[in-house]
Amino acid sequence: QVQLVESGGGLVQAGGSLRLSCAASGGTFSGYAMAWFRQAPGEEREFVAAIGRNGIVTSYADSVKGRFTISRDNAKKMVYLQMNSLRPEDTAVYFCAAKSTLSTRIPQSYDYWGQGTQVTVSS
């Protein structure tokens, strides 16, 4: 069983930056692929970024490619999402998720979820 807790959300002006963190406990963290998803009001949960178990393989949604960077520290059991050049359309609740074996872009394939952290980008 893995528990995930996100932090780092907040209110930021367009063009600004935020760094989200996700702390994991329980389980063997290095055995899990990790991902960030987001969900805006009235919208479905959408893939943002994912990182493989060893931290080498990453993937991004086209909408955030070049602006967001996902990383992980297996020793600290942490995963991060550095968000730069934020836009109002990035406003959403951001969720950290974990799954065994390979990462995917499908939220239903993830086994563990955090409670989410709100990111609001003002224009």
Side-chain angles (χ1 to χ4, degrees), residues 1-25:
Q1 192 78 6
V2 177
Q3 293 79 43
L4 303 172
V5 179
E6 303 95 335
S7 62
L11 173 65
V12 63
Q13 289 188 330
S17 297
L18 281 175
R19 187 195 195 206
L20 304 184
S21 298
C22 174
S25 60

Side-chain angles (χ1 to χ4, degrees), residues 63-112:
S63 58
V64 307
K65 199 173 295 183
R67 300 188 297 123
F68 291 11
T69 302
I70 188 171
S71 61
R72 66 188 294 164
D73 185 330
N74 284 348
K76 295 182 179 179
K77 297 186 177 183
M78 297 289 295
V79 63
Y80 306 99
L81 185 69
Q82 178 66 44
M83 306 186 295
N84 299 327
S85 302
L86 283 161
R87 305 167 179 168
E89 54 264 38
D90 294 318
T91 295
V93 177
Y94 284 70
F95 297 90
C96 175
K99 70 182 296 291
S100 58
T101 65
L102 301 177
S103 63
T104 75
R105 299 184 176 214
I106 306 170
Q108 292 84 352
S109 68
Y110 284 78
D111 302 309
Y112 304 103

